[in-house]
Amino acid sequence: MKKKYIFLVIIILLSVGVYFVLFHKDKSLKYIPENADVIVLVDVKKAKRQYISSYLMHPSKWFEEKKEKKNKISITDSGLEIPDFLQIFHLNNTKISEWYTVLEINDKEKLSAFLKDRKFINDEKGIFKNNQFFVKINGEKCIVGTSDLNFNNIGKPFSEKFRNNVLNADSFMDDGLGSISFISELRTQNFSIDLKDDEIEIKNEQNSTNFESLISDLYKETQFLDAELDSENIKKIGSVFKENLTDSASVNHLKMGTNLTQVNDTIVSYEYDDNFNEIEKISYQKIVQPDYAIVLQTSNPEKAWTYFQNKKWINAQNQFTAIPFQPNLISINKNRIFIKSTRKSVKLNETKKQNYIFIKNNPLLFSSFKTLNNQFFKNVEYIFYGNKNQDYTVKIKFKKEKLPLILR
């Protein structure tokens, strides 16, 4: 009889332990600053549960050797306290590539060893950096960022209340693995982040639009990039680059297609012989060039043309210099402005009367952009953005493999 009670007590204790380790969450958000305009939250405990579930479902992972990671210090031994909801934020009026998070320090000696292990270098100003991240230690906290330009501009944390609601994780996310929230003076827009076997999907709450048919059609096309946007989407995307073509140039529709090709680039240099005679030397290198066609529909083509000229985007040869890949030619025909690369013509795909951006992975990218030449980007199959009415979806599709994304 006593054995049964002991067994019952053990089961209860294990259940309580599992609950606190994998389910119980502190939803408070201590370090979201008041000057943040984008917030990304990651439900750490849900990620752990998803990892464990996937791990148990894939026995091949059990016996996998991790020689390259064997001697590496893990995040769990870094001396940092990882909160139940990882809080990553972007600051207002900063570059789109700049993101930060604030973490508490449990053990400074462990953190120092971790930074050394991950090849962080101290710049003698209290900032450590490696090829990807910057770390600033500030008392019992540390700030981690993709840049060190705005460490000192991170404002005070939000108060306990935010727009008459108690500020916690529920203010920004529902049941997803994570969320991304855009904060403005008027409102906050929340988007859930879901991690599936071979894709990451980001969509707004109550999203009921299915873009699978559109994605399937686009995937069959051969173009590297295909896009079609109305005025509202042009305005939203343009705001990221601090440009408002909708108001400034009266652009109300965009259609674009791009292919990538490898071409020989001629390099002319000069040397001198023993008699100081100049000798021309010609060499060649292979570079990747996009061939593209863009059609901008505008209600006022003269206004648009004048706007481009005032921005000095049109030169004397009628080339659109805002696009760095030359040569191209810009022209007007009625209420449309055409921008076309002149090296090779591109035929635009059939208009689908939908709002989307579709980027299909291309091996030529990796030879041109070193930042993309890693396994993560090589495994991406396509990136899709779609909008219909109030529904927004971003999907990053990865190549199918034996293991799901969370185990790779």
Side-chain angles (χ1 to χ4, degrees):
M1 206 54 188
K2 288 182 179 179
K3 289 183 178 180
K4 289 184 179 179
Y5 285 122
I6 293 172
F7 182 73
L8 182 61
V9 170
I10 292 173
I11 292 296
I12 292 172
L13 290 175
L14 284 174
S15 299
V16 171
V18 169
Y19 170 75
F20 277 99
V21 171
L22 296 178
F23 291 90
H24 181 266
K25 303 171 190 174
D26 178 1
K27 295 186 177 183
S28 61
L29 304 178
K30 300 178 183 178
Y31 301 117
I32 301 296
E34 291 179 332
N35 57 333
D37 58 0
V38 184
I39 298 170
V40 177
L41 297 182
V42 179
D43 187 333
V44 174
K45 288 192 174 178
K46 185 166 186 176
K48 285 181 181 178
R49 297 200 304 271
Q50 189 170 336
Y51 180 89
I52 292 170
S53 175
S54 296
Y55 187 83
L56 294 175
M57 294 293 291
H58 293 83
S60 61
K61 187 72 175 175
W62 305 353
F63 309 104
E64 186 180 273
E65 292 187 13
K66 299 179 180 179
K67 293 179 182 177
E68 71 281 357
K69 295 183 179 179
K70 205 169 184 179
N71 299 320
K72 287 273 188 184
I73 299 176
S74 68
I75 292 290
T76 54
D77 294 323
S78 65
L80 294 172
E81 177 71 27
I82 306 300
D84 292 339
F85 288 89
L86 188 62
Q87 303 151 47
I88 303 165
F89 53 85
H90 177 269
L91 299 176
N92 191 27
N93 295 322
T94 61
K95 294 179 181 178
I96 191 66
S97 59
E98 295 177 18
W99 295 85
Y100 304 92
T101 187
V102 180
L103 300 171
E104 295 180 1
I105 302 172
N106 283 338
D107 190 319
K108 288 190 176 181
E109 288 187 7
K110 282 187 175 182
L111 177 58
S112 179
F114 174 79
L115 293 175
K116 185 177 179 180
D117 181 65
R118 297 305 174 103
K119 294 182 170 49
F120 278 84
I121 299 171
N122 189 345
D123 68 355
E124 299 181 356
K125 296 179 182 178
I127 295 177
F128 298 81
K129 58 184 177 180
N130 64 8
N131 292 331
Q132 296 174 301
F133 297 104
F134 296 81
V135 175
K136 179 181 180 180
I137 296 175
N138 187 4
E140 299 303 314
K141 304 179 186 69
C142 81
I143 306 171
V144 183
T146 58
S147 167
D148 63 343
L149 296 177
N150 288 284
F151 277 154
N152 296 327
N153 296 330
I154 296 174
K156 295 179 180 179
F158 275 121
S159 59
E160 289 186 5
K161 284 199 171 182
F162 173 67
R163 293 181 180 162
N164 297 320
N165 294 317
V166 176
L167 183 67
N168 58 32
D170 292 334
S171 306
F172 301 105
M173 67 183 299
D174 287 329
D175 298 324
L177 186 69
S179 69
I180 179 167
S181 302
F182 297 87
I183 302 173
S184 66
E185 293 180 3
L186 299 176
R187 61 173 178 165
T188 297
Q189 290 182 287
N190 298 327
F191 296 80
S192 67
I193 302 174
D194 289 301
L195 179 64
K196 302 179 181 179
D197 282 354
D198 57 3
E199 66 183 46
I200 300 172
E201 187 174 63
I202 304 169
K203 60 183 181 181
N204 58 302
E205 298 169 352
Q206 290 86 43
N207 188 321
S208 59
T209 302
N210 189 331
F211 290 103
E212 291 305 316
S213 177
L214 173 61
I215 292 173
S216 177
D217 290 343
L218 293 169
Y219 188 75
K220 294 173 185 176
E221 304 290 348
T222 59
Q223 291 186 347
F224 159 68
L225 183 151
D226 192 353
E228 190 175 331
L229 301 170
D230 64 10
S231 58
E232 283 301 311
N233 280 274
I234 294 170
K235 191 171 185 177
K236 285 184 173 70
I237 294 171
S239 65
V240 175
F241 302 98
K242 311 299 182 185
E243 292 294 340
N244 190 344
L245 295 180
T246 303
D247 296 336
S248 302
S250 299
V251 175
N252 50 47
H253 189 269
L254 176 147
K255 178 70 177 169
M256 178 179 181
T258 303
N259 291 320
L260 294 180
T261 54
Q262 193 172 63
V263 298
N264 288 322
D265 184 41
T266 304
I267 302 173
V268 179
S269 58
Y270 295 91
E271 296 179 349
Y272 295 90
D273 60 19
D274 295 338
N275 298 318
F276 297 100
N277 295 315
E278 189 177 71
I279 301 173
E280 184 179 85
K281 186 178 179 181
I282 298 177
S283 59
Y284 301 92
Q285 67 175 356
K286 290 187 179 295
I287 62 171
V288 175
Q289 282 275 33
D291 299 314
Y292 51 88
I294 304 170
V295 179
L296 302 174
Q297 188 170 297
T298 171
S299 58
N300 192 334
E302 290 78 15
K303 178 182 177 181
W305 193 270
T306 301
Y307 175 75
F308 293 157
Q309 286 181 324
N310 291 338
K311 296 283 286 187
K312 297 182 179 179
W313 288 350
I314 302 177
N315 62 18
Q317 290 76 40
N318 279 346
Q319 292 179 331
F320 191 68
T321 58
I323 298 176
F325 303 103
Q326 304 290 332
N328 64 28
L329 187 66
I330 183 170
S331 60
I332 291 181
N333 185 359
K334 297 181 179 178
N335 65 336
R336 293 183 177 182
I337 294 177
F338 297 86
I339 305 169
K340 295 182 178 181
S341 56
T342 55
R343 196 189 67 82
K344 190 176 180 181
S345 62
V346 174
K347 184 180 179 181
L348 290 175
N349 293 329
E350 178 184 343
T351 300
K352 304 193 181 293
K353 296 182 180 178
Q354 297 195 59
N355 291 295
Y356 64 87
I357 299 173
F358 187 86
I359 303 173
K360 185 185 290 188
N361 204 343
N362 191 311
L364 291 177
L365 282 172
F366 310 129
S367 61
S368 300
F369 300 97
K370 291 183 179 179
T371 54
L372 301 181
N373 194 11
N374 60 60
Q375 203 55 46
F376 177 86
F377 289 106
K378 286 181 178 180
N379 284 338
V380 172
E381 200 161 299
Y382 64 77
I383 299 173
F384 169 82
Y385 161 83
N387 161 241
K388 184 177 182 181
N389 300 323
Q390 298 303 310
D391 291 343
Y392 296 87
T393 297
V394 173
K395 182 178 288 190
I396 306 173
K397 183 75 171 182
F398 293 81
K399 296 173 183 176
K400 283 187 178 295
E401 292 187 13
K402 291 181 180 180
L403 295 175
L405 277 174
I406 201 165
L407 295 182
R408 296 183 200 176

